[in-house]
Amino acid sequence: MILVLGDSLSAEYGLKRGEGWVPLLEKRLAQQKIPAAVVNASISGDTSSGGRARFASLLAQHKPSHVVVELGANDALRGLPLQNTEENLLQITKAAQAAGAKVLIVGIQVPPNYGGDYTRRFEAVFGKVASTTKAALVPFLLKGVADAPDALALFQADRIHPTAAAQPQLLDNVWPELRKLLAAK
């Protein structure tokens, strides 16, 4: 069972149910005859500390074999200290691994208006947690969307949340690393 612990980017914010990358993942698993259920425990607005606070009960309830951690964007939007984000992601990953789950960290980037130093340090948090815990890593969930030539057309009016048309690309960004984890024994 795959548990997705994320924020609005995984919780289908502003989309019709079934249009987000997580429901598309369920369809892909079925199409490829990979026997894995998916629980989407993503909550719009969630931070890494919120995910960490509810993770133990999610682990106990669902006993996942795989955990996809897509948190941190709201930490940056709120200007939370990077060391807190890193520590929360580290503890979520370690708890999942201690419970026997394979972990995929899904990174996010912030716009350059946050300043070059903060932007680089924020982006590095995800790789550092993955490296420290030997978890798999997707460096940037919005690759091919936020940096696409027609990027504005791929975002809702808020310019933060991708449209339904962008969701297959999000899944395509996650899928290669998740597929490797699912195939690993």
Side-chain angles (χ1 to χ4, degrees):
M1 197 270 280
I2 302 165
L3 177 71
V4 179
L5 182 69
D7 53 33
S8 59
L9 297 173
S10 298
E12 297 186 292
Y13 178 87
L15 304 174
K16 291 181 195 154
R17 294 298 135 231
E19 289 183 336
W21 76 266
V22 177
L24 295 177
L25 168 63
E26 292 180 274
K27 290 178 185 164
R28 184 167 293 177
L29 290 165
Q31 289 166 346
Q32 297 197 11
K33 298 184 180 6
I34 298 171
V38 178
V39 170
N40 192 351
S42 301
I43 297 176
S44 290
D46 208 1
T47 60
S48 64
S49 62
R52 180 179 177 182
R54 58 194 183 88
F55 190 60
S57 64
L58 289 168
L59 266 180
Q61 180 183 356
H62 299 291
K63 299 177 178 39
S65 58
H66 298 78
V67 176
V68 177
V69 181
E70 181 275 306
L71 289 168
N74 290 309
D75 296 39
L77 290 174
R78 295 175 188 179
L80 301 177
L82 291 175
Q83 64 267 24
N84 292 7
T85 303
E86 183 178 326
E87 182 62 21
N88 290 329
L89 295 175
L90 195 59
Q91 293 309 316
I92 290 167
T93 303
K94 287 180 175 181
Q97 291 172 331
K102 292 179 174 70
V103 179
L104 174 59
I105 306 283
V106 179
I108 194 72
Q109 295 174 9
V110 293
N113 60 312
Y114 281 75
D117 181 57
Y118 184 87
T119 301
R120 282 187 298 280
R121 291 187 311 122
F122 179 78
E123 184 180 342
V125 163
F126 303 97
K128 187 174 177 188
V129 171
S131 176
T132 299
T133 60
K134 299 189 178 10
L137 174 68
V138 172
F140 185 33
L141 177 63
L142 301 179
K143 183 171 178 51
V145 176
D147 55 0
D150 59 343
L152 282 180
L154 297 172
F155 283 89
Q156 297 174 38
D158 64 9
R159 295 185 176 184
I160 294 173
H161 298 96
T163 62
Q167 299 300 311
Q169 180 63 52
L170 272 59
L171 175 58
D172 286 345
N173 292 340
V174 172
W175 180 249
E177 291 301 320
L178 182 56
R179 182 71 184 96
K180 286 182 212 169
L181 288 182
L182 291 167
K185 296 295 177 204

